[in-house]
Amino acid sequence: MDISEEIRALQLDSAEDSGVIDVEKSRPDEADGVVHMEEDAEGSSSADQVHVAPKDTEGSSSTDQVQVVPKEKEKVEAPVQEVKQAVNTDEEVKNKKRHLNVVSIGHVDAGKSTIGGQILFLSGQVDDRTIQKYEREAKDKARDSWYMAYIMDTNEEERSKGITVEVGRAHFETETTRFTILDAPGHKSYVPNMISGASQADIGILVISARKGEFETGYEKGGQTREHVLLAKTLGVSKLIVVVNKMDDPTVNWSKERYDEIESKMVPFLKSSGYNVKKDVQFLPISGLVGSNLKTRADKSTCPWWNGPCLFEVLDAVEVPTRDPKGPFRLPIIDKFKDLGTVVMGKVESGSVREGDSLIVMPNRVNVKVVALYVDENKVRYAEPGENLRVKLSGIEEEDILSGFVLSSVSKPIVAVNEFIAQLQILELLDNAIFTAGYKAVLHVHSVVEECEIVELLHQIDTKTRKPIKKRVLFVKNNAAVVCRIQVNNLICVEKFTDFPQLGRFTLRTEGKTVAVGKITELRTIGNNA
């Protein structure tokens, strides 16, 4: 090697040590810069740094577009980028899991909240220290067996009374499925809240107490077991897991005879409520308080006669209902609040949504933009039908939104009506009540609660042949089926049952009692609201 070559070699070594990057050598990094920019445009975190800018337009020097990054900085940032990529990959895997909304229903004191709390504990969502804290709190209230319910019943009113008032919401996962638990209240005073919870669910866990006298109280006339089953079927809960709880109670002691007695009484009633018992209903014995037959199968020493699955196995085996991710977007709003902007909550019934989408809030026709999406407290960029979402919106104030409003696609918005034709099944009217034109009730449809009036009875339906009866009808009695015209005072967002079942089925309640269930067959708008 001659002297000039040695000098040149020394200059190159010096340039590398000083952290100066040769422009020609940096060009492969420029290509990487383009990739990073595209990823950022697709929604990467604003914290991600693009170190190398793409080439500028003609006339500028390519050296102007190269940001020099010292080697020390490169070494620090490389692992950070790897961690970010790993986190994103984990999120993608998590989101690929199927998702199911599960509502727990049943008579008051059957053990719904305790089972929900036990599920969260067994799935690792609640630690031992929290459980010990709740145990002490329950003992202080002289309610030792309530401590597991405190996981789901979070406010002081619910804990002091020992009854669920609001619909509790929590999340847990198995290897194949993400679950959202909706803990519905069982007391008859809070049936409207139960309706709200069941309207968001895909499947139901019907909790029945095996304790002597408690099953009978819930199942007899006026008990919430019957009403909850009817409401669940009406609200679209197509599959039921019937858990016979409190099998460890001293009055039961894991008795197969008691379990068989309850099942034999429930099966005919479930059939009469419209459930296909062989296909859509699963019975199993459990103890919510001690966790028997929940995550793992009941021990043979405890329950030698049970050879079936545990609750987690049944939940994992349930089929996800068919959903249409390409349909027009529909999200009935169940709640709203302020959090550095306007945030709404609800379950996606149809279509998909992305961060940045333009949508419309109906019926007040306000155009909004999706600022952020959250599933199970985690921020996501995309959500499909069935997800319970929190959606941060721009373009609307929180006070301009009411429960029952619907977030929908701009191209195919949901319609707003104040009159519709419906097919009704009368269940049980109040004493001395006559169902005729002029009858008033409270309408519950998805998250809408609105006073309504029966304007006209169009015709009665023969319950055996399911065909219209030509004779003009002026009134109907219990158990009758009738097609009628119904009006509401304010515009509401609903759909025909044949188009969107979840937005087209409803219940009518009077004085705290469910008197009829129905489905919408035709939509109309009358008066000045058209």
Side-chain angles (χ1 to χ4, degrees), residues 97-156:
K97 284 186 178 182
R98 67 182 199 147
H99 177 250
L100 278 172
N101 300 286
V102 184
V103 64
S104 58
I105 58 175
H107 193 68
V108 65
D109 286 336
K112 298 182 294 298
S113 298
T114 296
I115 292 169
Q118 189 70 258
I119 287 172
L120 295 180
F121 174 62
L122 293 172
S123 60
Q125 304 300 309
V126 183
D127 58 26
D128 288 325
R129 285 183 63 184
T130 304
I131 294 295
Q132 290 167 9
K133 173 191 167 188
Y134 289 156
E135 279 192 271
R136 290 193 298 270
E137 192 176 331
K139 283 181 180 178
D140 290 343
K141 291 182 169 67
R143 303 289 187 181
D144 293 18
S145 63
W146 289 5
Y147 70 96
M148 274 294 175
Y150 285 6
I151 298 171
M152 297 299 296
D153 293 340
T154 54
N155 68 50
E156 193 54 42

Side-chain angles (χ1 to χ4, degrees), residues 207-410:
V207 182
I208 293 173
S209 172
R211 182 180 287 164
K212 189 175 181 180
E214 286 190 1
F215 163 68
E216 287 75 13
T217 302
Y219 182 69
E220 288 169 3
K221 186 178 178 180
Q224 260 46 65
T225 300
R226 284 175 173 269
E227 185 173 18
H228 279 203
V229 168
L230 286 167
L231 288 171
K233 184 62 180 175
T234 303
L235 295 164
V237 179
S238 58
K239 296 183 184 294
L240 274 185
I241 303 169
V242 183
V243 294
V244 182
N245 190 28
K246 303 187 183 181
M247 289 295 292
D248 59 327
D249 188 82
T251 65
V252 183
N253 198 25
W254 293 94
S255 164
K256 186 178 187 301
E257 290 72 22
R258 178 62 167 167
Y259 175 83
D260 290 342
E261 177 193 358
I262 291 170
E263 183 175 354
S264 65
K265 288 183 178 178
M266 285 302 302
V267 165
F269 175 68
L270 290 169
K271 286 181 178 178
S272 68
S273 302
Y275 282 100
N276 183 332
V277 176
K278 289 185 178 179
K279 183 181 176 183
D280 298 327
V281 178
Q282 170 83 48
F283 283 83
L284 67 158
I286 66 163
S287 169
L289 185 61
V290 299
S292 293
N293 212 35
L294 291 183
K295 188 177 182 181
T296 56
R297 296 191 179 193
D299 193 278
K300 286 295 181 184
S301 62
T302 303
C303 187
W305 50 269
W306 179 253
N307 296 312
C310 63
L311 180 60
F312 276 41
E313 289 175 314
V314 175
L315 287 171
D316 264 338
V318 172
E319 294 179 8
V320 176
T322 54
R323 297 160 174 157
D324 184 9
K326 295 183 179 180
F329 185 72
R330 300 284 187 268
L331 183 144
I333 296 169
I334 60 169
D335 201 3
K336 48 56 178 302
F337 57 91
K338 284 186 178 178
D339 182 13
L340 300 176
T342 301
V343 181
V344 298
M345 295 172 60
K347 176 190 169 190
V348 182
E349 296 294 355
S350 171
S352 305
V353 61
R354 287 185 183 276
E355 192 178 285
D357 279 358
S358 295
L359 300 172
I360 187 169
V361 177
M362 295 292 288
N364 52 352
R365 298 182 179 277
V366 178
N367 290 295
V368 295
K369 187 172 182 179
V370 176
V371 177
L373 299 168
Y374 299 89
V375 173
D376 301 357
E377 308 303 322
N378 300 312
K379 189 175 181 181
V380 298
R381 296 176 191 146
Y382 173 76
E384 292 190 332
E387 293 287 2
N388 273 284
L389 292 182
R390 284 186 293 124
V391 186
K392 184 176 285 190
L393 302 172
S394 64
I396 193 168
E397 295 299 321
E398 179 254 354
E399 55 265 25
D400 295 326
I401 300 173
L402 297 174
S403 294
F405 283 14
V406 177
L407 199 58
S408 66
S409 56
V410 177

Side-chain angles (χ1 to χ4, degrees), residues 109 143 146 156-163 165 190:
D109 286 336
R143 303 289 187 181
W146 289 5
E156 193 54 42
E157 179 191 1
E158 292 179 321
R159 291 182 177 181
S160 60
K161 290 182 178 179
I163 58 173
V165 176
Y190 306 112

Side-chain angles (χ1 to χ4, degrees), residues 169-235:
R169 185 187 301 269
H171 314 279
F172 77 99
E173 292 186 26
T174 62
E175 289 185 6
T176 62
T177 313
R178 291 183 298 117
F179 291 98
T180 298
I181 305 177
L182 302 161
D183 180 31
H187 196 279
K188 63 181 180 180
S189 300
Y190 306 112
V191 169
N193 292 348
M194 175 268 167
I195 291 172
S196 172
S199 68
Q200 302 166 54
D202 302 309
I203 62 173
I205 298 177
L206 174 62
V207 182
I208 293 173
S209 172
R211 182 180 287 164
K212 189 175 181 180
E214 286 190 1
F215 163 68
E216 287 75 13
T217 302
Y219 182 69
E220 288 169 3
K221 186 178 178 180
Q224 260 46 65
T225 300
R226 284 175 173 269
E227 185 173 18
H228 279 203
V229 168
L230 286 167
L231 288 171
K233 184 62 180 175
T234 303
L235 295 164

